[in-house]
Amino acid sequence: MLRRPRRNRQSAAIRSMVEETTLSVNDFIYPMFVMEGNNLTSEVKSMPNIFRYSLDKLLEEITVVQDLGICSIALFPLLSEDKKDKYATESHRQGSLYLESIYQIKNKFPEIALMTDVAMDPYSSDGHDGYVDEKGNILNDETLQILGNMALAQARAGADIIGPSDMMDGRVGYLREMLDDEGFTNVSIMAYTAKYASAFYGPFRDALDSAPKFGDKKTYQMNPANSREALIEAELDYAEGADFLMVKPALAYLDIIKSLNDNFNIPIAAYNVSGEYAMVKAAAQNGWLDGTRTMIESLTSIKRAGAKVILTYFAKEFASL
Ligand code: PBG
């Protein structure tokens, strides 16, 4: 036997020398949740160790997270039901919780890269990412205007990266043009390019109380059975000016991450979503899996598949190791 692959695995020194994929805190964006009130933290039941914070507490937590070396966060708002309406008006109201949070975070932590979410669901009385007409259809082009106002308000408040997670057609180009027209040429767009209609978002919708009030999201989010369609979405988002292409969820879609990374030369991001986090945590709490090793193996596989950037609820735990 001339070729013995085990020689390259014989010691820790040699194994680390030939290791192809390494993780660093620089790879991660840490998703965080903000809610109304003062001096409040509340744990998301299905996501152990992940909390919703009132803004004062959130700012304290970002200090902790930044000290651990994390330099990027993604922010999502939890709204009370009385703030929601059909037009997601609260999403671009001056002085709203979300816009105020963006402003205060960037004011206190100018070095943090702050990613904001553009979609109607946290603000919509229908719980959908787009505008719903009387017949229950989600209207694409009407939604774009609302998303545009939302993105612009976020950019004005100080957002560094706009993350359209809505899956409406044409939204990347629409937002890019609107941002450029208003002078925000340096605000990036991380497009949720291949966002699948997934069961793995369950814990997130619990966290934000944002589940659809009727139906599902299958007319705008992608069918989990399709991969070639992800390339069409990627071509559009690339042509419309996206700075990053994201795949979501991550672990059940590693082939999609690889396909986008093979075909596009801008950074690929992957969202290791709430359900993926919850599965590992639940098994670890039962003593059925080694939580730390499973976390590292999962994150490594996402990076190995081709994701340069990983949005993950594990970011803080990884950074603490
Ligand atoms: C909605 C949005 C969702 C997530 C991020 N933005 C849920 C959905 O589409 O219903 C999910 C994130 C996660 O599960 O961690 N615009």
Side-chain angles (χ1 to χ4, degrees):
M1 252 190 281
L2 290 178
R3 196 133 303 281
R4 287 181 180 269
R6 287 187 56 195
R7 271 197 294 268
N8 282 350
R9 299 177 205 137
Q10 65 185 294
S11 69
I14 291 180
R15 284 194 297 274
S16 63
M17 183 193 300
V18 301
E19 184 164 278
E20 297 173 35
T21 309
T22 48
L23 293 169
S24 132
V25 280
N26 296 328
D27 302 329
F28 300 134
I29 298 177
Y30 188 40
M32 301 182 84
F33 302 120
V34 68
M35 65 181 180
E36 279 151 30
N38 238 302
N39 198 24
L40 297 176
T41 56
S42 100
E43 192 171 23
V44 181
K45 242 209 238 122
S46 45
M47 301 175 75
N49 258 318
I50 298 295
F51 296 85
R52 290 161 293 208
Y53 301 94
S54 57
L55 180 53
D56 55 328
K57 283 288 179 189
L58 180 75
L59 294 170
E60 284 174 22
E61 177 65 9
I62 295 175
T63 306
V64 174
V65 157
Q66 193 181 36
D67 287 346
L68 287 169
I70 292 170
C71 8
S72 310
I73 62 173
L75 189 66
F76 297 94
L78 166 66
L79 272 77
S80 54
E81 212 52 43
D82 59 298
K83 291 248 159 57
K84 304 183 183 184
D85 63 23
K86 272 197 93 60
Y87 295 91
T89 323
E90 183 68 9
S91 68
H92 50 90
R93 186 181 64 77
Q94 279 284 322
S96 73
L97 168 71
Y98 194 61
L99 296 175
E100 183 61 23
S101 304
I102 295 167
Y103 178 78
Q104 289 203 29
I105 291 169
K106 284 304 294 186
N107 208 32
K108 187 156 181 214
F109 308 97
E111 293 92 29
I112 289 269
L114 178 59
M115 174 169 168
T116 55
D117 191 61
V118 171
M120 288 174 63
D121 54 325
Y123 316 93
S124 153
S125 45
D126 295 308
H128 275 284
D129 293 19
Y131 176 74
V132 184
D133 75 4
E134 318 75 52
K135 292 183 191 133
N137 296 315
I138 285 85
L139 303 186
N140 195 89
D141 301 11
E142 289 73 0
T143 299
L144 293 184
Q145 295 176 21
I146 298 169
L147 300 179
N149 292 335
M150 199 183 302
L152 205 52
Q154 294 172 359
R156 289 198 176 111
D160 297 296
I161 304 173
I162 301 284
S165 66
D166 54 284
M167 289 301 278
M168 296 300 119
D169 291 336
R171 90 277 206 211
V172 172
Y174 188 94
L175 298 181
R176 182 72 274 160
E177 213 167 291
M178 201 154 170
L179 290 169
D180 288 355
D181 283 350
E182 295 292 323
F184 295 106
T185 51
N186 283 335
V187 171
S188 304
I189 296 181
M190 183 180 290
Y192 285 66
T193 295
K195 178 173 181 179
Y196 287 88
S198 171
F200 289 101
Y201 307 148
F204 176 96
R205 293 179 188 173
D206 294 343
L208 296 189
D209 218 350
S210 66
K213 300 278 158 59
F214 67 90
D216 52 41
K217 299 193 175 185
K218 289 179 185 167
T219 69
Y220 44 107
Q221 300 182 347
M222 283 180 56
N223 181 344
N226 293 355
S227 82
R228 287 152 46 85
E229 197 181 340
L231 286 170
I232 298 177
E233 288 286 1
E235 279 163 25
L236 289 168
D237 289 354
Y238 181 83
E240 290 173 30
D243 302 284
F244 305 81
L245 302 176
M246 189 208 292
V247 176
K248 178 185 180 183
L251 289 172
Y253 299 87
L254 296 178
D255 56 326
I256 312 298
I257 296 173
K258 174 156 169 53
S259 159
L260 294 202
N261 192 48
D262 286 346
N263 286 288
F264 293 88
N265 292 326
I266 53 176
I268 306 302
Y271 200 141
N272 179 218
V273 300
S274 57
E276 301 176 292
Y277 177 85
M279 286 196 302
V280 175
K281 285 291 167 195
Q285 282 184 346
N286 274 296
W288 295 343
L289 280 176
D290 178 327
T292 303
R293 287 184 53 208
T294 309
M295 163 182 81
I296 292 174
E297 189 173 330
S298 305
L299 295 171
T300 302
S301 76
I302 297 167
K303 190 163 181 196
R304 191 193 63 231
K308 181 68 202 75
V309 181
I310 305 174
L311 291 97
T312 180
Y313 302 97
F314 284 119
K316 185 181 174 190
E317 186 176 339
F318 179 90
S320 315
L321 285 179

PDB file of all heavy atoms in Angstrom, residues 48-75:
ATOM      1  N   PRO A  48     -32.991  27.375  24.465  1.00  0.00           N
ATOM      2  CA  PRO A  48     -32.287  27.589  25.729  1.00  0.00           C
ATOM      3  C   PRO A  48     -31.127  28.570  25.562  1.00  0.00           C
ATOM      4  O   PRO A  48     -30.377  28.476  24.593  1.00  0.00           O
ATOM      5  CB  PRO A  48     -31.765  26.194  26.082  1.00  0.00           C
ATOM      6  CG  PRO A  48     -32.661  25.245  25.350  1.00  0.00           C
ATOM      7  CD  PRO A  48     -33.124  25.955  24.123  1.00  0.00           C
ATOM      8  N   ASN A  49     -31.010  29.491  26.513  1.00  0.00           N
ATOM      9  CA  ASN A  49     -29.914  30.475  26.513  1.00  0.00           C
ATOM     10  C   ASN A  49     -30.033  31.581  25.477  1.00  0.00           C
ATOM     11  O   ASN A  49     -29.099  32.366  25.302  1.00  0.00           O
ATOM     12  CB  ASN A  49     -28.562  29.791  26.322  1.00  0.00           C
ATOM     13  CG  ASN A  49     -27.837  29.671  27.640  1.00  0.00           C
ATOM     14  OD1 ASN A  49     -27.846  30.610  28.440  1.00  0.00           O
ATOM     15  ND2 ASN A  49     -27.244  28.512  27.884  1.00  0.00           N
ATOM     16  N   ILE A  50     -31.151  31.641  24.783  1.00  0.00           N
ATOM     17  CA  ILE A  50     -31.393  32.753  23.869  1.00  0.00           C
ATOM     18  C   ILE A  50     -32.527  33.589  24.474  1.00  0.00           C
ATOM     19  O   ILE A  50     -33.561  33.033  24.861  1.00  0.00           O
ATOM     20  CB  ILE A  50     -31.777  32.264  22.457  1.00  0.00           C
ATOM     21  CG1 ILE A  50     -30.636  31.444  21.859  1.00  0.00           C
ATOM     22  CG2 ILE A  50     -32.161  33.434  21.548  1.00  0.00           C
ATOM     23  CD1 ILE A  50     -29.354  32.219  21.593  1.00  0.00           C
ATOM     24  N   PHE A  51     -32.297  34.899  24.573  1.00  0.00           N
ATOM     25  CA  PHE A  51     -33.211  35.771  25.296  1.00  0.00           C
ATOM     26  C   PHE A  51     -33.749  36.889  24.420  1.00  0.00           C
ATOM     27  O   PHE A  51     -33.097  37.303  23.464  1.00  0.00           O
ATOM     28  CB  PHE A  51     -32.488  36.406  26.491  1.00  0.00           C
ATOM     29  CG  PHE A  51     -32.041  35.404  27.518  1.00  0.00           C
ATOM     30  CD1 PHE A  51     -30.826  34.740  27.373  1.00  0.00           C
ATOM     31  CD2 PHE A  51     -32.838  35.103  28.610  1.00  0.00           C
ATOM     32  CE1 PHE A  51     -30.412  33.790  28.308  1.00  0.00           C
ATOM     33  CE2 PHE A  51     -32.429  34.164  29.559  1.00  0.00           C
ATOM     34  CZ  PHE A  51     -31.220  33.501  29.403  1.00  0.00           C
ATOM     35  N   ARG A  52     -34.958  37.354  24.777  1.00  0.00           N
ATOM     36  CA  ARG A  52     -35.453  38.615  24.255  1.00  0.00           C
ATOM     37  C   ARG A  52     -35.113  39.665  25.308  1.00  0.00           C
ATOM     38  O   ARG A  52     -35.318  39.413  26.503  1.00  0.00           O
ATOM     39  CB  ARG A  52     -36.975  38.538  24.047  1.00  0.00           C
ATOM     40  CG  ARG A  52     -37.350  37.609  22.897  1.00  0.00           C
ATOM     41  CD  ARG A  52     -38.779  37.179  22.985  1.00  0.00           C
ATOM     42  NE  ARG A  52     -38.969  36.324  24.144  1.00  0.00           N
ATOM     43  CZ  ARG A  52     -39.897  35.376  24.230  1.00  0.00           C
ATOM     44  NH1 ARG A  52     -40.740  35.159  23.250  1.00  0.00           N
ATOM     45  NH2 ARG A  52     -40.002  34.631  25.317  1.00  0.00           N
ATOM     46  N   TYR A  53     -34.592  40.804  24.866  1.00  0.00           N
ATOM     47  CA  TYR A  53     -34.160  41.845  25.796  1.00  0.00           C
ATOM     48  C   TYR A  53     -34.910  43.138  25.548  1.00  0.00           C
ATOM     49  O   TYR A  53     -35.139  43.503  24.386  1.00  0.00           O
ATOM     50  CB  TYR A  53     -32.672  42.168  25.598  1.00  0.00           C
ATOM     51  CG  TYR A  53     -31.725  41.007  25.799  1.00  0.00           C
ATOM     52  CD1 TYR A  53     -31.319  40.233  24.722  1.00  0.00           C
ATOM     53  CD2 TYR A  53     -31.228  40.715  27.065  1.00  0.00           C
ATOM     54  CE1 TYR A  53     -30.438  39.175  24.907  1.00  0.00           C
ATOM     55  CE2 TYR A  53     -30.347  39.663  27.255  1.00  0.00           C
ATOM     56  CZ  TYR A  53     -29.959  38.892  26.171  1.00  0.00           C
ATOM     57  OH  TYR A  53     -29.095  37.855  26.347  1.00  0.00           O
ATOM     58  N   SER A  54     -35.240  43.856  26.628  1.00  0.00           N
ATOM     59  CA  SER A  54     -35.622  45.253  26.434  1.00  0.00           C
ATOM     60  C   SER A  54     -34.349  46.002  26.031  1.00  0.00           C
ATOM     61  O   SER A  54     -33.232  45.519  26.271  1.00  0.00           O
ATOM     62  CB  SER A  54     -36.236  45.825  27.712  1.00  0.00           C
ATOM     63  OG  SER A  54     -35.338  45.693  28.799  1.00  0.00           O
ATOM     64  N   LEU A  55     -34.520  47.169  25.414  1.00  0.00           N
ATOM     65  CA  LEU A  55     -33.370  47.844  24.800  1.00  0.00           C
ATOM     66  C   LEU A  55     -32.220  48.105  25.775  1.00  0.00           C
ATOM     67  O   LEU A  55     -31.050  47.885  25.442  1.00  0.00           O
ATOM     68  CB  LEU A  55     -33.833  49.147  24.132  1.00  0.00           C
ATOM     69  CG  LEU A  55     -32.748  49.976  23.450  1.00  0.00           C
ATOM     70  CD1 LEU A  55     -31.938  49.158  22.445  1.00  0.00           C
ATOM     71  CD2 LEU A  55     -33.375  51.190  22.755  1.00  0.00           C
ATOM     72  N   ASP A  56     -32.541  48.535  27.004  1.00  0.00           N
ATOM     73  CA  ASP A  56     -31.459  48.800  27.978  1.00  0.00           C
ATOM     74  C   ASP A  56     -30.651  47.535  28.246  1.00  0.00           C
ATOM     75  O   ASP A  56     -29.418  47.553  28.295  1.00  0.00           O
ATOM     76  CB  ASP A  56     -32.057  49.375  29.281  1.00  0.00           C
ATOM     77  CG  ASP A  56     -33.137  48.471  29.882  1.00  0.00           C
ATOM     78  OD1 ASP A  56     -33.851  47.781  29.119  1.00  0.00           O
ATOM     79  OD2 ASP A  56     -33.270  48.441  31.112  1.00  0.00           O
ATOM     80  N   LYS A  57     -31.349  46.397  28.379  1.00  0.00           N
ATOM     81  CA  LYS A  57     -30.676  45.119  28.641  1.00  0.00           C
ATOM     82  C   LYS A  57     -29.921  44.634  27.408  1.00  0.00           C
ATOM     83  O   LYS A  57     -28.858  44.018  27.505  1.00  0.00           O
ATOM     84  CB  LYS A  57     -31.716  44.061  29.053  1.00  0.00           C
ATOM     85  CG  LYS A  57     -32.183  44.225  30.464  1.00  0.00           C
ATOM     86  CD  LYS A  57     -31.067  43.811  31.403  1.00  0.00           C
ATOM     87  CE  LYS A  57     -31.451  43.980  32.851  1.00  0.00           C
ATOM     88  NZ  LYS A  57     -30.288  43.776  33.741  1.00  0.00           N
ATOM     89  N   LEU A  58     -30.483  44.908  26.246  1.00  0.00           N
ATOM     90  CA  LEU A  58     -29.832  44.516  24.999  1.00  0.00           C
ATOM     91  C   LEU A  58     -28.472  45.207  24.869  1.00  0.00           C
ATOM     92  O   LEU A  58     -27.473  44.580  24.517  1.00  0.00           O
ATOM     93  CB  LEU A  58     -30.721  44.861  23.796  1.00  0.00           C
ATOM     94  CG  LEU A  58     -30.141  44.486  22.433  1.00  0.00           C
ATOM     95  CD1 LEU A  58     -30.222  42.974  22.202  1.00  0.00           C
ATOM     96  CD2 LEU A  58     -30.863  45.213  21.303  1.00  0.00           C
ATOM     97  N   LEU A  59     -28.453  46.487  25.198  1.00  0.00           N
ATOM     98  CA  LEU A  59     -27.193  47.231  25.098  1.00  0.00           C
ATOM     99  C   LEU A  59     -26.144  46.630  26.044  1.00  0.00           C
ATOM    100  O   LEU A  59     -24.975  46.489  25.686  1.00  0.00           O
ATOM    101  CB  LEU A  59     -27.421  48.714  25.387  1.00  0.00           C
ATOM    102  CG  LEU A  59     -28.298  49.454  24.352  1.00  0.00           C
ATOM    103  CD1 LEU A  59     -28.671  50.839  24.838  1.00  0.00           C
ATOM    104  CD2 LEU A  59     -27.626  49.530  22.981  1.00  0.00           C
ATOM    105  N   GLU A  60     -26.585  46.230  27.236  1.00  0.00           N
ATOM    106  CA  GLU A  60     -25.652  45.571  28.176  1.00  0.00           C
ATOM    107  C   GLU A  60     -25.131  44.267  27.586  1.00  0.00           C
ATOM    108  O   GLU A  60     -23.946  43.947  27.668  1.00  0.00           O
ATOM    109  CB  GLU A  60     -26.357  45.249  29.503  1.00  0.00           C
ATOM    110  CG  GLU A  60     -26.578  46.442  30.404  1.00  0.00           C
ATOM    111  CD  GLU A  60     -27.411  46.072  31.637  1.00  0.00           C
ATOM    112  OE1 GLU A  60     -27.473  44.875  32.014  1.00  0.00           O
ATOM    113  OE2 GLU A  60     -28.019  46.992  32.228  1.00  0.00           O
ATOM    114  N   GLU A  61     -26.043  43.516  26.984  1.00  0.00           N
ATOM    115  CA  GLU A  61     -25.665  42.219  26.431  1.00  0.00           C
ATOM    116  C   GLU A  61     -24.709  42.383  25.243  1.00  0.00           C
ATOM    117  O   GLU A  61     -23.797  41.572  25.054  1.00  0.00           O
ATOM    118  CB  GLU A  61     -26.929  41.442  26.025  1.00  0.00           C
ATOM    119  CG  GLU A  61     -26.689  40.096  25.355  1.00  0.00           C
ATOM    120  CD  GLU A  61     -26.017  39.040  26.250  1.00  0.00           C
ATOM    121  OE1 GLU A  61     -25.862  39.277  27.469  1.00  0.00           O
ATOM    122  OE2 GLU A  61     -25.628  37.994  25.703  1.00  0.00           O
ATOM    123  N   ILE A  62     -24.898  43.418  24.468  1.00  0.00           N
ATOM    124  CA  ILE A  62     -23.994  43.624  23.325  1.00  0.00           C
ATOM    125  C   ILE A  62     -22.576  43.926  23.816  1.00  0.00           C
ATOM    126  O   ILE A  62     -21.599  43.491  23.200  1.00  0.00           O
ATOM    127  CB  ILE A  62     -24.527  44.733  22.380  1.00  0.00           C
ATOM    128  CG1 ILE A  62     -25.847  44.279  21.748  1.00  0.00           C
ATOM    129  CG2 ILE A  62     -23.524  45.035  21.266  1.00  0.00           C
ATOM    130  CD1 ILE A  62     -26.540  45.324  20.893  1.00  0.00           C
ATOM    131  N   THR A  63     -22.466  44.604  24.956  1.00  0.00           N
ATOM    132  CA  THR A  63     -21.136  44.814  25.534  1.00  0.00           C
ATOM    133  C   THR A  63     -20.472  43.467  25.818  1.00  0.00           C
ATOM    134  O   THR A  63     -19.296  43.257  25.488  1.00  0.00           O
ATOM    135  CB  THR A  63     -21.243  45.617  26.863  1.00  0.00           C
ATOM    136  OG1 THR A  63     -21.960  46.816  26.603  1.00  0.00           O
ATOM    137  CG2 THR A  63     -19.880  45.948  27.414  1.00  0.00           C
ATOM    138  N   VAL A  64     -21.227  42.544  26.407  1.00  0.00           N
ATOM    139  CA  VAL A  64     -20.699  41.219  26.726  1.00  0.00           C
ATOM    140  C   VAL A  64     -20.269  40.488  25.460  1.00  0.00           C
ATOM    141  O   VAL A  64     -19.174  39.928  25.354  1.00  0.00           O
ATOM    142  CB  VAL A  64     -21.779  40.376  27.459  1.00  0.00           C
ATOM    143  CG1 VAL A  64     -21.314  38.948  27.682  1.00  0.00           C
ATOM    144  CG2 VAL A  64     -22.177  41.037  28.774  1.00  0.00           C
ATOM    145  N   VAL A  65     -21.159  40.534  24.467  1.00  0.00           N
ATOM    146  CA  VAL A  65     -20.935  39.821  23.212  1.00  0.00           C
ATOM    147  C   VAL A  65     -19.716  40.403  22.472  1.00  0.00           C
ATOM    148  O   VAL A  65     -18.890  39.678  21.932  1.00  0.00           O
ATOM    149  CB  VAL A  65     -22.244  39.945  22.396  1.00  0.00           C
ATOM    150  CG1 VAL A  65     -22.019  39.759  20.932  1.00  0.00           C
ATOM    151  CG2 VAL A  65     -23.292  38.969  22.920  1.00  0.00           C
ATOM    152  N   GLN A  66     -19.602  41.721  22.500  1.00  0.00           N
ATOM    153  CA  GLN A  66     -18.471  42.357  21.823  1.00  0.00           C
ATOM    154  C   GLN A  66     -17.161  42.006  22.532  1.00  0.00           C
ATOM    155  O   GLN A  66     -16.146  41.756  21.876  1.00  0.00           O
ATOM    156  CB  GLN A  66     -18.674  43.882  21.793  1.00  0.00           C
ATOM    157  CG  GLN A  66     -17.709  44.576  20.847  1.00  0.00           C
ATOM    158  CD  GLN A  66     -17.889  46.089  20.843  1.00  0.00           C
ATOM    159  OE1 GLN A  66     -18.175  46.706  21.872  1.00  0.00           O
ATOM    160  NE2 GLN A  66     -17.725  46.695  19.689  1.00  0.00           N
ATOM    161  N   ASP A  67     -17.192  41.944  23.871  1.00  0.00           N
ATOM    162  CA  ASP A  67     -15.988  41.562  24.615  1.00  0.00           C
ATOM    163  C   ASP A  67     -15.553  40.140  24.286  1.00  0.00           C
ATOM    164  O   ASP A  67     -14.386  39.791  24.425  1.00  0.00           O
ATOM    165  CB  ASP A  67     -16.215  41.708  26.129  1.00  0.00           C
ATOM    166  CG  ASP A  67     -16.239  43.169  26.555  1.00  0.00           C
ATOM    167  OD1 ASP A  67     -15.823  44.032  25.743  1.00  0.00           O
ATOM    168  OD2 ASP A  67     -16.685  43.458  27.688  1.00  0.00           O
ATOM    169  N   LEU A  68     -16.502  39.319  23.859  1.00  0.00           N
ATOM    170  CA  LEU A  68     -16.165  37.941  23.470  1.00  0.00           C
ATOM    171  C   LEU A  68     -15.601  37.883  22.053  1.00  0.00           C
ATOM    172  O   LEU A  68     -15.219  36.814  21.582  1.00  0.00           O
ATOM    173  CB  LEU A  68     -17.409  37.047  23.558  1.00  0.00           C
ATOM    174  CG  LEU A  68     -17.886  36.676  24.960  1.00  0.00           C
ATOM    175  CD1 LEU A  68     -19.272  36.034  24.907  1.00  0.00           C
ATOM    176  CD2 LEU A  68     -16.893  35.738  25.633  1.00  0.00           C
ATOM    177  N   GLY A  69     -15.597  38.992  21.354  1.00  0.00           N
ATOM    178  CA  GLY A  69     -14.973  39.034  20.025  1.00  0.00           C
ATOM    179  C   GLY A  69     -15.951  39.032  18.863  1.00  0.00           C
ATOM    180  O   GLY A  69     -15.541  39.046  17.704  1.00  0.00           O
ATOM    181  N   ILE A  70     -17.240  39.003  19.169  1.00  0.00           N
ATOM    182  CA  ILE A  70     -18.225  39.019  18.079  1.00  0.00           C
ATOM    183  C   ILE A  70     -18.346  40.445  17.541  1.00  0.00           C
ATOM    184  O   ILE A  70     -18.496  41.386  18.322  1.00  0.00           O
ATOM    185  CB  ILE A  70     -19.587  38.500  18.590  1.00  0.00           C
ATOM    186  CG1 ILE A  70     -19.451  37.003  18.910  1.00  0.00           C
ATOM    187  CG2 ILE A  70     -20.705  38.748  17.574  1.00  0.00           C
ATOM    188  CD1 ILE A  70     -20.625  36.418  19.638  1.00  0.00           C
ATOM    189  N   CYS A  71     -18.244  40.613  16.228  1.00  0.00           N
ATOM    190  CA  CYS A  71     -18.301  41.981  15.675  1.00  0.00           C
ATOM    191  C   CYS A  71     -19.539  42.239  14.838  1.00  0.00           C
ATOM    192  O   CYS A  71     -19.710  43.350  14.330  1.00  0.00           O
ATOM    193  CB  CYS A  71     -17.056  42.331  14.880  1.00  0.00           C
ATOM    194  SG  CYS A  71     -15.900  41.043  14.559  1.00  0.00           S
ATOM    195  N   SER A  72     -20.404  41.243  14.645  1.00  0.00           N
ATOM    196  CA  SER A  72     -21.602  41.472  13.835  1.00  0.00           C
ATOM    197  C   SER A  72     -22.821  40.885  14.529  1.00  0.00           C
ATOM    198  O   SER A  72     -22.774  39.757  15.026  1.00  0.00           O
ATOM    199  CB  SER A  72     -21.478  40.789  12.475  1.00  0.00           C
ATOM    200  OG  SER A  72     -20.261  41.122  11.876  1.00  0.00           O
ATOM    201  N   ILE A  73     -23.911  41.645  14.515  1.00  0.00           N
ATOM    202  CA  ILE A  73     -25.167  41.106  15.035  1.00  0.00           C
ATOM    203  C   ILE A  73     -26.304  41.396  14.051  1.00  0.00           C
ATOM    204  O   ILE A  73     -26.228  42.326  13.247  1.00  0.00           O
ATOM    205  CB  ILE A  73     -25.518  41.667  16.435  1.00  0.00           C
ATOM    206  CG1 ILE A  73     -25.699  43.177  16.385  1.00  0.00           C
ATOM    207  CG2 ILE A  73     -24.463  41.325  17.453  1.00  0.00           C
ATOM    208  CD1 ILE A  73     -26.201  43.734  17.715  1.00  0.00           C
ATOM    209  N   ALA A  74     -27.334  40.559  14.117  1.00  0.00           N
ATOM    210  CA  ALA A  74     -28.561  40.784  13.347  1.00  0.00           C
ATOM    211  C   ALA A  74     -29.665  40.992  14.370  1.00  0.00           C
ATOM    212  O   ALA A  74     -29.748  40.248  15.351  1.00  0.00           O
ATOM    213  CB  ALA A  74     -28.878  39.587  12.470  1.00  0.00           C
ATOM    214  N   LEU A  75     -30.499  42.004  14.169  1.00  0.00           N
ATOM    215  CA  LEU A  75     -31.514  42.350  15.171  1.00  0.00           C
ATOM    216  C   LEU A  75     -32.920  42.094  14.642  1.00  0.00           C
ATOM    217  O   LEU A  75     -33.224  42.416  13.487  1.00  0.00           O
ATOM    218  CB  LEU A  75     -31.356  43.827  15.555  1.00  0.00           C
ATOM    219  CG  LEU A  75     -32.201  44.304  16.735  1.00  0.00           C
ATOM    220  CD1 LEU A  75     -31.750  43.624  18.032  1.00  0.00           C
ATOM    221  CD2 LEU A  75     -32.125  45.821  16.886  1.00  0.00           C
TER     222      LEU A  75
END
